[in-house]
Amino acid sequence: MDPRVRILNEAPARENARYVLYWAQMNRRAESNHALLHAVEMANARKLPVLVYEGLTHRYPYANDRHHTFLLEGVAETGRRLRKLGIGYVFYLERGPEDRRDVLYRLAADALAVVTDDYPVFIARKHNASVPGKIGIPYHAVDSSCIVPMGLMEKREWAAYTIRPKIHRLLAQYLKPVHPIHVAAPYTGEVAEFHTEVTEQNVGELVASCAIDHGVKPSTTYRGGRVAAERTLDRFLRTRLRRYAMERNDPAAHANSDLSPYLHYGHVSALEVALAAKAYAAEHNLVADEFLEELIVRRELAFNYARFSDPPDTFAQLPGWAVQTMAKHAGDRREPCYTAEQFEQAQTHDPLWNAAQKELLLRGKIHGYYRMYWGKKIIEWSATHEEALRTMVYLHDRYAVDGRDPNTYTNILWCFGLHDRPWQERAVFGSLRHMSYEGMRRKTAVDAYTKEIDYLERTGRDLFTLD
Ligand SMILES: Cc1cc2nc3c(=O)[nH]c(=O)nc-3n(C[C@H](O)[C@H](O)[C@H](O)COP(=O)(O)OP(=O)(O)OC[C@H]3O[C@@H](n4cnc5c(N)ncnc54)[C@H](O)[C@@H]3O)c2cc1C
């Protein structure tokens, strides 16, 4: 049995089916996609075509212009690339309460089986729990997010040092390109009447027509889609990888990949990024180890945590020492103390924290190093630890283009001791790790970063876009 595949019901395959349906919930791409390959192999064995269905609804929590735009920017290219492979493609935009909600079931009515993405958080996790019992045909969830299949880790790992040797033991076996797609029977069916035509030109119009929160504007910086993902990867390899090991913790240096939004929306796979980084490093005599540690070990530790934690965004799975130290310091005085609204509007006394929050509001992503500082200060300046957690989850779910990801909840909880160890005890934090403004000034170019964000806020122009 392939460790990437979980069969989530016992329904029989449909007789006289017209195709195998791949429901792309998270891995919204034609390339390097184990779930798509699984659907193709299943279809080829019966000389059936494959139909890919991608949907977007106004109903998911925090649906807004930013998330909708990023996702829709990928649709036209995905459709083109799938059709070129001989695979059918349906996209359906459910704009408001009056629109139909049964598209998956309509398409499944002609399908042999449904293949989808195995994903441990947010809506895909809920769908994969509720749909298999209702769909009436086999429902296969395939892990195309992780390089080493999540299913090979039998329990929740304690920290990076416990998962690292397990990943490294299995890596040679799984760090291999996905087999190329060859369909035995090209899809020739007509376009479904509910298909929504998305082009590069009509994304804004479609977003405006949806009953969603129009208060969160698209990212100033990140455009969605496969083409943007490929360009971002290419730029990282050419201009940043060689600086990554030394400069990745200095936000103003721009040595990081900025690939997290594309990984989150599945416009690129971690597998192809890792293979590209390894190949480029070998060809140019560079070392990619630090980057691969983040992309593989840290990212897959986050998927491991989320898979074994339901729900993943509470204190329930924190280590005992973290829970106890927070209880001991629950009554400590917070000075200053801000509300979630003050945090959201970047109204603290700290110019660096405010700049990081504005980066989230504008770009939709905070640099990894300042993201830790951002989280730690929310703990320090919130009335309670629980309120701090709620604020961080809310701000990420609403604004982050890479949010609603296993990385989101795992890393927010890292601020509260997950995958970490006790440090020296102090007020409010107890023995949770603390980060200070002085430390940030010592280690990073704080002024260059605050100037950069100030320029972005004043002009709406990002000096670090690809164009
Ligand atoms: C409070 C807090 C919230 C966070 N929320 C998110 C989030 O919503 N989505 C998200 O993808 N990451 C999140 N992170 C982790 C990390 O900050 C981002 O993955 C990273 O900044 C993404 O930028 P990049 O693609 O340029 O990273 P790079 O440095 O170029 O790293 C490459 C890839 O490695 C992975 N990676 C890097 N750092 C980590 C890490 N600490 N843990 C797990 N994987 C990592 C990511 O997939 C990233 O895209 C959060 C961290 C903190 C402290």
Side-chain angles (χ1 to χ4, degrees), residues 2 4 29 31-35 37 143-149 167-180 269-279 292 295-296 300:
D2 184 343
R4 291 194 183 278
R29 62 178 181 272
E31 303 78 2
S32 189
N33 187 333
H34 294 99
L37 179 67
D143 172 7
S144 200
S145 299
C146 291
I147 295 175
V148 174
I167 287 181
H168 282 296
R169 231 182 352 261
L170 293 162
L171 205 52
Q173 195 181 338
Y174 291 100
L175 191 56
K176 290 184 181 151
V178 179
H179 294 307
S269 76
L271 175 59
E272 55 189 330
V273 172
L275 288 167
K278 266 194 90 164
L292 295 175
L295 179 72
I296 306 177
E300 299 197 0

Side-chain angles (χ1 to χ4, degrees), residues 236 244 248 256-261 263 291 294-296 298-299 302 365-369 371-372 374-375 392 396 400 402-405 407-408 411-412 414-415:
F236 173 66
Y244 188 85
R248 69 180 182 283
N256 301 70
S257 71
D258 285 337
L259 281 166
S260 57
L263 289 164
F291 178 68
E294 301 296 335
L295 179 72
I296 306 177
R298 296 281 163 178
R299 183 169 177 275
K365 172 177 175 298
I366 310 174
H367 182 282
Y369 199 53
R371 225 166 182 169
M372 298 180 198
W374 174 91
M392 283 190 227
H396 265 78
D402 58 3
R404 292 128 352 106
D405 191 276
N407 268 355
T408 313
N411 280 286
I412 286 175
W414 171 85
C415 297

Side-chain angles (χ1 to χ4, degrees), residues 398-426:
R398 186 159 193 226
Y399 293 102
V401 264
D402 58 3
R404 292 128 352 106
D405 191 276
N407 268 355
T408 313
Y409 310 112
T410 308
N411 280 286
I412 286 175
L413 285 166
W414 171 85
C415 297
F416 296 89
L418 180 70
H419 299 151
D420 204 2
R421 64 172 173 88
W423 294 70
Q424 198 184 0
E425 188 147 345
R426 60 168 63 230

Side-chain angles (χ1 to χ4, degrees), residues 10-21:
E10 289 175 358
R14 186 181 310 289
E15 309 263 329
N16 305 320
R18 289 176 48 214
Y19 45 72
V20 170
L21 185 64

